[in-house]
Amino acid sequence: MGKKEMSTYHRPFPNTWWLKRKPYVLFMIRELTSVFVAGYCIFLLVFVYKLTQGADVYGNFIDALKSPSSVALHFIALAFVLYHTITWFNLTPKILVLYKGEERIPQGLVAGMFYAGWVVVSVIVALFVLGM
Amino acid sequence: MAETMKLEIFRYHPEKDNEPTFQTYEVPFLEDWVILDAINYIKDEIDGTLSYRWSCQMGVCGSCGMMINGVPKLSCAVFLKDYYPDKIRVEPLTGFPVERDLIFQMDDFMTKLTEIQPYIIRNKDEEKPLDEGEYLQTPAELARFKPYSMCINCMLCYAACPVYALDSTFIGPAAIALGQRYNMDSRDHGRDARQELIASHEGIWECTFVGECSAVCPKDVDPAAAIQRAKVSSTIDWFKDVLIPWGKKK
Ligand code: SF4
Ligand code: FES
């Protein structure tokens, strides 16, 4: 452009940027929840594996799960997984933009479909578990 | 003087300063003043050396973006009274190099805007001669991209984006939203031409969906949604390419 390069000041962007504002903190928590989601998937795989190892191994595993530290860990994981689910469900209308003619389908309705699906699946799982 | 308020403003003079400083000014507090009014008062009455950009004073030109207490805002659209009686900290938009005081360098954004090819691209053989008139569009077709066309290029979304601040090669929210604006236009055939940039490493895949770009946008453009939707369509492209290579292009 034939323009003389102007000296500019580049402000530092510290690693603690996400602590500066609440929306960034909430975003970071959402990112962190993925660790718990992945961890719980691994746990479920181990669970299935133990199931294949016979009644004794499985029984011991179940007993170990009843320890207070294991129960506490499950509650922590539950909290993070709920946070993960709710924040992502709330973001679905951004990704799934639906129109009926000229009118956009309300964002709440789109998210609502996911919540409804979640309730249905949860009820089915609950019936299955309780019916055993 | 009746009630007053303090503004703490980022100062940097490229020929005199190595580091920026903050300077505090006391301005009259008026119920109907926006922050830009207070800054104009400083410029006119207290310190003529203060440099900043503004024009329309009505949220249209997009030139008065500043960090107000760490949040990107149009300074002509936020009232002093929303901060009264606390001190207000005013800085240039985050993520951009500072030229002087509140003026930052926007060349990078301008380059990205042009790179995204923000105009209707027609297939060569489908260009109508002028005398055949315009390409028609239904209101429903218009509705699909209209929100993305409301952008005023204020760059608040870039200032809210930590990804851009950490790596300025990221094409960023407004440019991608503008690309989507044309991609979703029924008259346009340019998606493939834009896709190379949009789906590149510097494009949509840099985005981690922090979502603050949409939260700060004064025009409800929702660039975060534009980026996520581009991710979905790029993923669909990929599946089409890999799983049904013969079904590639219509
Ligand atoms: S998308 Fe919104 S915040 Fe970003 S430049 Fe356009 S109007 Fe400004
Ligand atoms: S001065 Fe034009 S948008 Fe604020």
Side-chain angles (χ1 to χ4, degrees):
Chain A
M1 261 196 271
K3 199 166 72 177
K4 209 175 110 214
E5 206 40 57
M6 189 191 258
S7 76
T8 52
Y9 182 76
H10 293 253
R11 287 164 288 174
F13 194 69
N15 286 335
T16 50
W17 62 267
W18 56 278
L19 289 169
K20 298 232 167 85
R21 279 184 60 215
K22 196 171 150 213
Y24 296 136
V25 176
L26 295 178
F27 160 76
M28 277 308 215
I29 296 174
R30 195 184 83 206
E31 294 286 280
L32 177 70
T33 59
S34 313
V35 176
F36 287 86
V37 173
Y40 209 81
C41 289
I42 295 170
F43 165 77
L44 287 177
L45 289 176
V46 172
F47 195 97
V48 172
Y49 170 75
K50 295 281 183 188
L51 202 54
T52 63
Q53 297 300 296
D56 278 356
V57 177
Y58 180 67
N60 288 340
F61 183 60
I62 293 295
D63 284 342
L65 287 181
K66 287 178 183 155
S67 73
S69 57
S70 158
V71 172
L73 203 63
H74 271 76
F75 272 107
I76 294 169
L78 177 69
F80 277 101
V81 171
L82 281 178
Y83 186 93
H84 186 89
T85 310
I86 291 167
T87 47
W88 278 108
F89 276 6
N90 290 346
L91 288 173
T92 51
K94 296 224 178 278
I95 303 168
L96 207 60
V97 178
L98 303 174
Y99 282 91
K100 191 170 179 288
E102 289 164 53
E103 296 299 322
R104 179 157 173 194
I105 296 190
Q107 306 207 18
L109 197 66
V110 176
M113 283 177 350
F114 282 84
Y115 281 104
W118 184 18
V119 170
V120 169
V121 171
S122 301
V123 167
I124 293 172
V125 170
L127 287 178
F128 186 71
V129 171
L130 295 176
M132 295 291 265
Chain B
M1 195 151 58
E3 287 165 304
T4 61
M5 250 184 120
K6 287 202 172 93
L7 266 68
E8 189 181 52
I9 302 186
F10 182 103
R11 301 298 312 265
Y12 171 75
H13 192 296
E15 276 140 26
K16 294 188 191 143
D17 305 331
N18 291 323
E19 292 281 318
T21 50
F22 279 90
Q23 194 166 349
T24 303
Y25 299 96
E26 194 159 356
V27 298
F29 169 69
L30 288 155
E31 278 276 322
D32 58 354
W33 265 16
V34 290
I35 292 185
L36 183 60
D37 289 321
I39 295 174
N40 282 338
Y41 175 88
I42 296 170
K43 176 95 179 167
D44 294 343
E45 308 291 336
I46 308 176
D47 181 352
T49 66
L50 182 63
S51 305
Y52 54 100
R53 289 191 182 104
W54 66 283
S55 176
C56 72
Q57 262 193 316
M58 50 194 264
V60 173
C61 72
S63 58
C64 69
M66 298 169 192
M67 303 302 285
I68 309 292
N69 286 351
V71 185
K73 294 199 186 273
L74 295 179
S75 54
C76 71
V78 268
F79 285 92
L80 283 184
K81 64 168 181 245
D82 294 334
Y83 297 85
Y84 185 80
D86 301 329
K87 196 194 266 184
I88 304 173
R89 197 177 171 96
V90 185
E91 294 161 272
L93 289 184
T94 300
F96 297 98
V98 180
E99 287 185 345
R100 176 173 170 161
D101 299 341
L102 300 171
I103 297 180
F104 58 90
Q105 197 171 52
M106 51 168 98
D107 303 29
D108 180 54
F109 174 66
M110 292 303 164
T111 311
K112 284 167 176 164
L113 272 190
T114 49
E115 282 173 352
I116 212 86
Q117 307 185 64
Y119 34 79
I120 288 180
I121 301 173
R122 299 285 297 182
N123 287 339
K124 271 206 186 68
D125 44 350
E126 289 176 60
E127 191 77 68
K128 279 203 298 193
L130 269 185
D131 53 17
E132 278 180 35
E134 56 278 84
Y135 299 103
L136 297 179
Q137 191 163 54
T138 67
E141 284 168 335
L142 172 68
R144 298 295 184 277
F145 67 83
K146 184 131 188 256
Y148 299 146
S149 70
M150 303 310 281
C151 174
I152 56 170
N153 298 346
C154 64
M155 290 165 270
L156 298 193
C157 52
Y158 284 75
C161 177
V163 176
Y164 182 71
L166 290 164
D167 176 7
S168 65
T169 61
F170 177 39
I171 298 163
I176 296 177
L178 195 60
Q180 281 294 90
R181 176 252 172 273
Y182 286 94
N183 283 345
M184 302 182 109
D185 190 317
S186 57
R187 301 162 296 181
D188 180 83
H189 300 143
R191 181 163 175 263
D192 286 346
R194 289 181 204 105
Q195 193 63 4
E196 206 180 317
L197 186 60
I198 288 188
S200 70
H201 181 67
E202 290 75 39
I204 48 180
W205 303 112
E206 283 262 298
C207 167
T208 52
F209 204 175
V210 180
E212 270 304 284
C213 53
S214 292
V216 302
C217 175
K219 295 287 156 187
D220 290 328
V221 172
D222 205 348
I227 298 175
Q228 309 323 310
R229 295 176 73 194
K231 284 182 188 170
V232 172
S233 33
S234 299
T235 309
I236 294 173
D237 284 354
W238 184 83
F239 273 108
K240 277 191 193 152
D241 275 4
V242 173
L243 300 180
I244 33 173
W246 61 88
K248 241 181 163 176
K249 304 259 146 60
K250 280 191 280 180

